[in-house]
Amino acid sequence: MTALLQPYRLGGLTLPNRVVMAPMSRVRAAADGTATPSMAAYYAQRATAGLIIGEGAHPNAVGRSNPGTPGLHTEEAAASWRPVTDAVHANGGRIFAQIMHGGRVSHPDTTGTRPVGPSAVAAVGDVFTPAGPQPAPVPRALETEEVAPQAHSYAEAARRAVRAGFDGVELHGANGYLISQFLSSEANLRTDVYGGSVANRIRFAVEAAAATADAVGADRTGVRLSPGSAFWGASETDVPELYAALLRELARLGVAYVHLEATAPDELLLDLRRAWPSTLIMNPSVPMGPEQVDRAAADRWLGLGADLVSFGRAFISNPDLVERLRAGLPVEPVDEAVYYQGGDQGYLTYPAYRYSA
């Protein structure tokens, strides 16, 4: 049996394989951010993954990035996830919620209020709104006394997630969203304790992780990171020092895992692997990049020291991806046109592999 298909112990969970379904926004939630029956069916279809990490769910109203995304911002929203987690567990799976605060990557037409961020610097590019793509607005810079409550919103959402049946949570610290914005030397121009130095720029991420670990347990808390990326213009300086310092603090907290995206050269990623003492999930592709994670990439990173490997787009079009990898079956390409179109077509309609008679 190859390493990819061997069991792995993650916190209190025994994963039957090392294949992780990466978090992917599919914008199929109801208008109020509640999960739907179609979402329960979608995740249940993919329950053979060693671990599913759900799509980003906002922790509070101002943290919603896009229309059609689900939330963990209210008790009602959390309760709507219970059929999802029940369906995954009934099919033998395990599922973490990803908690994603959009920060400046949002729009008043989506949330009804001005986005917030570390500084009054707009994201680069258009954001999705109910009326279609619009230029990212200039966010309101959080006052110093407002920062800690935003960090603690991750912990509050984590409590709701665990009560809704999730096995744990992943904090979205990647891809230019709020945690990533605080790490950024472009989005974060603060002169208080949350800006400037490396120690200050990691403070928000550490406070969010510490509050979450305290709320639901460190063994139920993971963090996703994209070192050196510049998504939405959130570029970073001092990248090796920044992420080495952040991993030291996360290790001190004892969080269950770090989930890295391949947004930096292998040399840096391998340095971070050596510096990180616990479980590492590696996603070998760049989000929305041209390459899709395949078996060769997964095996390569397991050989380089990753403990688990996450697959994104391959899981969209192959609900039985684990079986396809196990049996060497063809992996079907995904139709990018259906990513965000809504409805069940291109969501629930990808079939399992059909064996010839």
Side-chain angles (χ1 to χ4, degrees), residues 54-338:
E55 62 208 274
H58 43 279
N60 54 26
V62 74
R64 189 176 197 179
S65 180
N66 304 319
T69 56
L72 284 163
H73 55 305
T74 64
E75 293 300 328
E76 179 186 10
S80 74
W81 281 103
R82 173 59 76 170
V84 178
T85 59
D86 283 350
V88 170
H89 292 148
N91 278 16
R94 296 134 300 276
I95 184 168
F96 273 35
Q98 189 190 67
I99 303 174
M100 172 185 145
H101 192 308
R104 67 180 188 167
V105 184
S106 186
H107 196 279
D109 287 359
T110 298
T111 64
T113 189
R114 186 179 176 187
V116 297
S119 302
V121 179
V124 175
D126 291 347
V127 295
F128 299 104
T129 78
Q134 297 190 54
V138 175
R140 182 178 66 81
L142 291 164
E143 300 292 341
T144 299
E145 62 272 15
E146 294 179 297
V147 176
Q150 292 297 328
H152 281 262
S153 72
Y154 291 86
E156 294 159 5
R159 288 192 186 94
R160 296 186 194 106
V162 170
R163 288 199 296 268
F166 284 99
D167 298 297
V169 299
E170 176 180 280
L171 307 191
H172 197 343
N175 300 357
Y177 298 110
L178 186 60
I179 290 175
S180 179
Q181 290 159 32
F182 272 93
L183 296 175
S184 169
S185 47
E186 182 278 333
N188 181 355
L189 305 180
R190 303 178 72 92
T191 57
D192 62 3
V193 297
Y194 292 99
S197 68
V198 163
N200 284 353
R201 280 188 281 140
I202 69 171
R203 191 182 306 276
F204 182 81
V206 173
E207 288 185 359
T212 303
D214 184 61
V216 300
D219 63 338
R220 291 185 171 189
T221 303
V223 181
R224 183 169 168 108
L225 301 169
S226 53
S229 69
F231 293 109
W232 300 103
S235 58
E236 301 161 343
T237 55
D238 309 311
V239 173
E241 180 186 358
L242 180 74
Y243 281 89
L246 178 55
L247 292 192
R248 282 195 297 272
E249 292 301 310
L250 296 178
R252 182 180 59 80
L253 295 174
V255 301
Y257 69 78
V258 163
H259 187 178
L260 293 182
E261 298 174 4
T263 50
D266 281 2
E267 181 181 1
L268 174 57
L269 296 173
L270 291 172
D271 284 344
L272 296 178
R273 164 66 285 186
R274 288 186 284 268
W276 177 245
S278 189
T279 297
L280 176 71
I281 303 175
M282 188 67 210
N283 187 279
S285 70
V286 177
M288 306 307 292
E291 295 184 358
Q292 182 171 298
V293 178
D294 58 15
R295 179 62 183 270
D299 288 340
R300 175 175 179 268
W301 271 103
L302 290 172
L304 291 172
D307 299 295
L308 306 166
V309 176
S310 64
F311 293 72
R313 285 164 284 179
F315 260 116
I316 293 177
S317 50
N318 300 272
D320 58 338
L321 179 63
V322 173
E323 177 58 24
R324 291 175 187 248
L325 294 171
R326 188 186 310 278
L329 301 172
V331 175
E332 296 298 326
V334 65
D335 179 3
E336 296 184 12
V338 305

